[in-house]
Amino acid sequence: MTAGKDITVVHLMRHGEVHNPDGVLYGRRAGYHLSDLGRRMADRVAEHLAGRDVTHVVASPLERAQETAEPIAKAHALDLATDERLIEAGNVFEGKTFGVGDGALRRPANWRHLTNPFRPSWGEPYIDQVVRMMGALNAARDAARGHEAVCVSHQLPIWIVRSFVERRRLWHDPRRRQCTLASLTTFTYQGDRIVSVGYSEPARDLVPPHLLAGARPVKGKSKAYGA
């Protein structure tokens, strides 16, 4: 295969909606599975990708990512791989509610974690997320060389690695992330080099309005826990 034809496509997918009636920031905690709606989102994306040349499917080890990836792997008769580097970002607020006007931010003891938005001070450094996510993307590229791969991950790491590739600052307003539930952020490689980044929302009509990018926060319906 010549360099001009060595095109590989890696779709970085955010998982579907999670069953989380208490509205906590679940982060890396085990035991959080897709809701019925989340499973519909996963099936929708599997249908969307059914005609694509997908030869490799890999997911974060967390249940919600594995369950999102399963119908995609099944549609292409592939074994589902796991890559620890695709996991959610670490966060000191895991297990806490994080809504508007309620939750962890009402407690002064937690304010010390909000002193540095550039690192950030409340969790895994952005640059560490870039390093591991680029490693996962490049591994998927190599596994699907000349074809397409799907990597199922989580909102913040997806947005951070996209921001890095598109040469934007890594610190940002979380409300402005373009990374809706079950969305696809698509990296096209020519050889080993990323030449374009795309974005699509095959299940957009299934996403609750308050979880869409740019939606106004609603009390009792925190966007923070849909990570």
Side-chain angles (χ1 to χ4, degrees), residues 15-59:
H15 62 78
E17 186 191 60
V18 174
H19 178 67
N20 183 19
D22 296 327
V24 302
L25 180 68
Y26 35 73
R28 293 179 173 179
R29 293 192 166 204
Y32 286 90
H33 298 266
L34 292 183
S35 65
D36 290 341
L37 178 60
R39 293 183 184 278
R40 288 172 57 200
M41 292 176 179
D43 289 341
R44 172 72 63 79
V45 178
E47 293 170 4
H48 174 77
L49 294 172
R52 304 297 294 255
D53 184 25
V54 175
T55 61
H56 181 65
V57 181
V58 59

Side-chain angles (χ1 to χ4, degrees), residues 120-137:
S121 53
W122 55 83
E124 181 184 9
Y126 291 138
I127 192 61
D128 290 359
Q129 295 178 55
V130 168
V131 170
R132 65 176 173 84
M133 290 296 288
M134 285 301 302
L137 282 175

Side-chain angles (χ1 to χ4, degrees), residues 182-196:
S183 61
L184 297 172
T185 300
T186 300
F187 299 83
T188 300
Y189 287 82
Q190 183 172 4
D192 292 342
R193 183 171 62 94
I194 295 173
V195 294
S196 69

